[in-house]
Amino acid sequence: MATGGLNLSREFFEVLKAIGESKSKQEEDRIIAKEVTVLKQKLEPTPPGKTPPLQNKKRAKEYLVRLLYVEMLGHDASFGYIKAVEMAASASLYHKRTGYLVCAACLSPDHEFRFMLVNQMQRDLQSTNLLEICGGLLASASLITSDMVPAMSGEVTKLLAHDSETVRKKAIITLHKFHQLAPDVVTEDELFEKVRKVLCDRDPSVMGSCLNVIESMALREPVKFKDLIPSLVSILKQIGDHRLPSDYDYHRVPAPWMQIKLVRIMGMLGQADAQASSGMYEILMDTMKKADVGINAGYAIVYECVKCITKIYPNTKLLDAAADAIARFMDSRSHNLKYLGVTGLALIVESHPQYATQHQMAVMDCLEDSDETLQRKTLDLLYRMTNPVNVEFITDKLLLFLAGTTDLFLKQQLTTRVCSVAERYAPNNAWYIKTITQLFEVSGDMVKEEVAQNLMSLIAEGTGESEEEDVRLRQTAVELYVTLLQEKPPAKLPRILLETMAWILGEYAYLSSVCSLEDILTRLCQWNKIGALASSTRKFLTSAIFKLVAQAGTCPPQAAAVIDEYTRSKDADLQQRCLEFQGLLTTAPQYLGEILPVDAAAEDVDVDINLSFLDGYCQQSLAEGARPYSKPEDDDDDDEDYGASASDAPAFKMTPYAKPDTNVSRSHMIRGMGSGGAATSGSVVTPPPGGNMGNTSVTSTASATNPSANGLTLNTRGAANVWGKKPATPAAPAPTPQAAAPPPPAPAPGAHSNVFAAAAGFRPSTSTSAYGGSSGYGAPAPAPVTQKTPEQLEKERQAAALFGGIVPGSVPPPAPAPAPVPSRPVPAAAPPVAAPPVAAAPAPPPAPAAEIDLLDMMAFDVAPTPAPAAAAVDDIFGSAMLAPTPIAAPAAEPAAPAAAPPIVETASVDEEDLGLPAPADADRPTSASAAIEPIDPFAAEGLLGDLQDKPLTSFELSSAKFEFNGSVLGPLQINTAQFGQQWGSCTATSPVSIPSSKKVNSLDSFMKECKAVGLHPIEAIAATNEGICAGQIKGGVLVALVHGKVSPQAGGITRLDITVKSTDSTMSGSLALYVQNMMA
């Protein structure tokens, strides 16, 4: 029995209703499995004498639609594919469309049934019925593969001359699809000729469909289409003059989608081509003027014109018009229009940064807006307008937003951008070290290890200017990391920051003026005993302890205990390091200064490949009667005899080893190492004259065999000297001084509209629009001067810092000179044997404050060449033609008094090009109507009959607990600390947001619902309305962790934000969907 006007049988209706009401994936799978069984019975071959099911045309379509439902929900329905192929050959258009639809949706590209449809599609294309031809074209675009193109291309080409505009429109799109599948069959030249003819078609819809093909082909090879620019301009002018039928108008805007497509194509064809761009200037200005009618379709055309103006060869008047349009976008009350304004400003500021001056306060407002989408787009704008003057302000803003976001993709993107701007535009090295350290704290392991390597190279090699500057730079880094060492526990610091701190403190801890060497050594020993450290981090800390012991000349008890403990470590590399260092301390402490020198990280290690230092030992052994070495004649690895006779081979001994006479503690031996000599536990030994102070990144043989040790190591061997001193080069002859021409005056803010009005020759309009201001392009009336509040003054100060270096002629504020750090004597790694006293070197004088070199800002301080004055005319298409702006050479800047501090610069990651923006979500008012229960359309139409209030008992859940692959979810009894440890190990994350929950109105009800699902309630935090739960399946094989936040809203509505994490991605998604259904 049919269910009203929906043309559904009762059986199909019940299936759809049961699928919509299913509470879990398991229940949905049971419903689909039952439906598959029914369809197999309906579609199986019928015995002779019985009527096949598909002969009933009323049921035939429904069976295939039900088959499509089975495929959509992820189940196999291949048993019914042949029935869909048969229905595609039906004489009924109604069933033919259904057969083509099921075949296109279900058949894979390499399925053999597709070849069975080629003959049927050829017959449809040759039909005299218009609907059959259109159905065959649609099926060809969806079902044809590259092997079938030769059989179909000829029929489709003939249809380009069909009498019906609908057929011609679909034929050109299908032919383009064939070209993409088989470019050797439908060649590019052939398609290009067809496109040129279709562009001049008498029907606008056929011409509009051709624009999509032109755009796709112009992306790959725009040169072929440059001769079409006059035709495109003519078409755009006719559309703007309302030459098209009124059927193509949208809210009084003529064919907006065609206009957008035409402007986009012209932007591709005019890029970096002055001659091609000159023919577009008038029509772009006219299109922008006519599109500004106060509706969204017009704003879309204006935005596309702004994008086109920034791509083609620059023109001053067009740029002024684009800047004026961006200004009205930025001043709008709509977030969508503000989003367009920020995106357009990001496009224009890359090539013409002077136009960003008038939008300083608008950008600050967007940065502080509550709309997260608008904030992200504004951050993208800040990144694009970064220069050496405003880099500090912009980096602070990026780090502030980075610390508050939880979006992993955005966090990774901002991390990459902060690294890029810090390396390219760092005002000084001390700022670079501080910024990268803050980035380590915020982003953690999202920062690439190359950044940490660059930071350590900078500190080790210095700037190359002077030794005093290098020492001061190292002092700044040491004081920064000593502060972190004293104030923050290691559990709150990421791995990459811990390893960088350990390396720098191990190398230069003696430079600290706020903490002694012994205190730093004690703190590092305490950190090394923490059990949650990564293996690579523990190796860095242990190596730092080795270096500090060598610098102090004594081994404190806590360091001896750490070294002795790790001689029994399961990590073979760490164990070998500690055993070798322990043996060095107990047997040869006098070599500590040579093996672990101070301040030699950037020194090259000379390797004697001939081992000449053993010549004396060999000669002595030969003199005492030792056998000389003779190279074996047959050097084969498989030969057991290596030159010695069989009689000399030692026999296998069965006697056990003797028990040692005494048991001496290793830690006691290490502790007694520093008791003798002049070096005591509280003294700092000064380096001997001419001593080599340095390398701390390796320890004896262990570091020689494995220098990396799965972590960050300073390997400067064979690398380019980026940070340090450059090789000496012959001095170039000094250039002849020339008189610097004064820079041209910068245009006053707000003058763009007046220049445009004078050049184009039209009066500004006084009508208002949704921009928030007047809809014309004229200059607004001057506003009365008001008294500014302290908040406004502070925002203007921040805006001035943000736009520093962009405004022509702006001078960056002088950077404050760093406070002098008191220096300490550099200790030398010396044995505990008394050494001749050497006076410590005096502390270097503080370096003078860095001066700013204005010549380095030349790329940002060049003022634009003022356009020549043009006579005012009435017709913009008359004699006043818009000409390309000539690219003038930059004017010379006045010489600065001193050189600017060096800018840290390395290779950075390229950013993706800005694409077409997605409009921001509009503000949605919250009202009580949001809580109204949804209306069942079946019940509203009276289609339920006696099923109004009766649930489907056959599909009821026996239990509210979650099931996964037949196993019930059980509670996992853990505490909050264990929950935090397992949270990071569960990689599969499924967030769920319920805007208005009916079942959960408080934190207690949320915890009860989680318990009903099968989870164990761990903790409910009433202060923040957050709760955490845990569960397990199969005795802990699969673990599920749930975090929920309950947010009461206005009108008695409760919002739930739930995050489900698991060790299995399928289980995470299933449990998230189940919890959403239970708590919705």
Side-chain angles (χ1 to χ4, degrees), residues 74-85:
H75 294 260
D76 181 36
S78 58
F79 58 88
Y81 291 170
I82 190 62
K83 301 299 180 181
V85 175

Side-chain angles (χ1 to χ4, degrees), residues 960-962 969-971 1000 1003-1019 1027-1031 1041-1046 1056 1058-1060 1071 1074-1075 1078-1079:
K961 292 187 177 181
F962 172 77
L969 179 67
V1000 177
L1003 183 59
D1004 294 336
S1005 58
F1006 169 75
M1007 301 300 287
K1008 290 180 181 178
E1009 290 292 335
C1010 290
K1011 187 175 182 181
V1013 172
L1015 299 168
H1016 167 59
I1018 299 176
E1019 184 180 6
I1028 54 176
C1029 305
L1041 305 177
V1042 177
H1043 171 273
K1045 182 176 179 60
V1046 182
L1056 292 180
I1058 304 172
T1059 302
V1060 180
L1071 180 57
Y1074 186 82
V1075 171
M1078 290 290 292
M1079 300 186 184

Side-chain angles (χ1 to χ4, degrees), residues 203-520:
D203 188 87
S205 64
V206 181
M207 179 271 299
S209 64
C210 177
L211 296 178
N212 298 308
V213 182
I214 294 178
E215 181 187 13
S216 177
M217 298 179 67
L219 279 174
R220 299 191 306 269
E221 196 170 358
V223 179
K224 283 189 175 182
F225 296 89
K226 287 185 181 289
D227 59 338
L228 294 179
I229 291 179
S231 300
L232 298 175
V233 170
S234 176
I235 294 173
L236 185 58
K237 182 172 178 58
Q238 294 180 42
I239 295 176
D241 293 340
H242 293 269
R243 301 282 183 86
L244 269 64
S246 59
D247 297 339
Y248 293 91
D249 291 356
Y250 179 80
H251 291 277
R252 307 187 310 277
V253 179
W257 288 273
M258 289 187 186
Q259 292 192 54
I260 290 174
K261 192 71 66 176
L262 287 167
V263 173
R264 191 176 300 167
I265 294 173
M266 287 192 294
M268 298 176 188
L269 303 182
Q271 191 168 8
D273 190 338
Q275 182 178 0
S277 301
S278 61
M280 309 176 188
Y281 292 154
E282 288 87 358
I283 191 62
L284 288 176
M285 184 73 75
D286 189 38
T287 302
M288 289 185 66
K289 210 167 54 167
K290 293 179 179 179
D292 189 13
V293 294
I295 62 174
N296 290 336
Y299 297 148
I301 298 174
V302 173
Y303 170 72
E304 200 63 44
C305 290
V306 171
K307 288 178 60 179
C308 180
I309 290 170
T310 59
K311 288 182 179 179
I312 64 176
Y313 198 82
N315 177 269
T316 303
K317 298 174 184 178
L318 279 179
L319 289 172
D320 291 343
D324 188 63
I326 291 173
R328 287 180 289 116
F329 280 149
M330 298 286 289
D331 295 337
S332 173
R333 294 184 296 270
S334 172
H335 282 187
N336 291 336
L337 296 183
K338 282 186 176 181
Y339 186 91
L340 288 182
V342 173
T343 308
L345 188 60
L347 292 174
I348 200 172
V349 78
E350 289 185 345
S351 54
H352 308 281
Q354 67 272 13
Y355 288 102
T357 309
Q358 56 181 318
H359 308 299
Q360 297 183 8
M361 301 307 300
V363 171
M364 294 300 301
D365 293 337
C366 293
L367 195 61
E368 299 173 358
D369 199 279
S370 58
D371 190 343
E372 186 176 356
T373 307
L374 187 59
Q375 284 183 343
R376 293 188 182 189
K377 185 54 65 176
T378 309
L379 291 174
D380 181 76
L381 170 64
L382 295 185
Y383 171 72
R384 292 172 182 269
M385 58 190 291
T386 306
N387 58 63
V389 179
N390 59 16
V391 61
E392 299 183 41
F393 179 82
I394 290 180
T395 305
D396 291 341
K397 289 295 182 181
L398 293 177
L399 288 173
L400 182 64
F401 196 85
L402 182 61
T405 184
T406 57
D407 189 337
L408 296 180
F409 174 78
L410 179 62
K411 205 165 187 177
Q412 182 65 58
Q413 185 185 48
L414 290 179
T415 299
T416 304
R417 291 182 170 184
V418 170
C419 292
S420 176
V421 299
E423 292 175 350
R424 292 170 60 188
Y425 303 115
N428 52 71
N429 293 326
W431 178 88
Y432 176 79
I433 295 174
K434 179 182 177 182
T435 301
I436 295 300
T437 302
Q438 292 179 357
L439 185 64
F440 285 161
E441 290 189 72
V442 175
S443 297
D445 293 337
M446 287 188 177
V447 185
K448 295 183 179 180
E449 294 187 355
E450 290 82 358
V451 178
Q453 184 71 26
N454 291 338
L455 179 63
M456 291 186 287
S457 300
L458 170 65
I459 297 174
E461 299 180 2
T463 60
E465 296 180 356
S466 64
E467 187 64 27
E468 292 77 9
E469 291 295 331
D470 295 345
V471 172
R472 179 176 295 277
L473 179 65
R474 293 164 188 162
Q475 285 179 339
T476 303
V478 168
E479 300 299 353
L480 176 62
Y481 292 132
V482 166
T483 304
L484 291 177
L485 186 70
Q486 293 176 339
E487 296 179 355
K488 293 194 175 183
K492 294 186 178 181
L493 298 178
R495 176 189 61 85
I496 190 170
L497 179 56
L498 283 174
E499 294 176 357
T500 305
M501 287 177 56
W503 188 90
I504 292 175
L505 292 179
E507 290 282 349
Y508 305 107
Y510 60 85
L511 295 175
S512 175
S513 61
V514 298
C515 190
S516 64
L517 197 67
E518 291 75 14
D519 294 339
I520 297 176

Side-chain angles (χ1 to χ4, degrees), residues 621-793:
S621 299
L622 291 174
E624 294 176 355
R627 173 190 291 181
Y629 172 76
S630 60
K631 185 177 181 180
E633 298 179 358
D634 185 10
D635 191 5
D636 191 359
D637 292 341
D638 295 333
D639 192 358
E640 297 180 359
D641 189 5
Y642 290 90
S645 62
S647 60
D648 296 336
F652 183 71
K653 296 182 181 181
M654 301 298 295
T655 306
Y657 289 106
K659 184 178 181 180
D661 297 334
T662 58
N663 185 11
V664 182
S665 172
R666 292 173 177 172
S667 59
H668 176 72
M669 295 172 62
I670 302 176
R671 235 178 262 121
M673 185 274 299
S675 59
T680 61
S681 59
S683 63
V684 178
V685 183
T686 57
N692 187 14
M693 304 183 301
N695 186 22
T696 61
S697 62
V698 295
T699 60
S700 71
T701 310
S703 298
T705 57
N706 187 9
S708 62
N710 300 325
L712 297 175
T713 57
L714 182 59
N715 184 11
T716 59
R717 185 173 182 82
N721 194 0
V722 179
W723 306 97
K725 300 179 179 179
K726 303 297 185 294
T729 55
T736 305
Q738 297 179 0
H752 303 302
S753 300
N754 296 333
V755 174
F756 164 75
F762 62 90
R763 293 182 299 274
S765 174
T766 57
S767 60
T768 59
S769 68
Y771 283 110
S774 62
S775 62
Y777 284 84
V785 179
T786 58
Q787 188 68 25
K788 297 181 180 180
T789 63
E791 292 78 6
Q792 292 176 339
L793 293 176

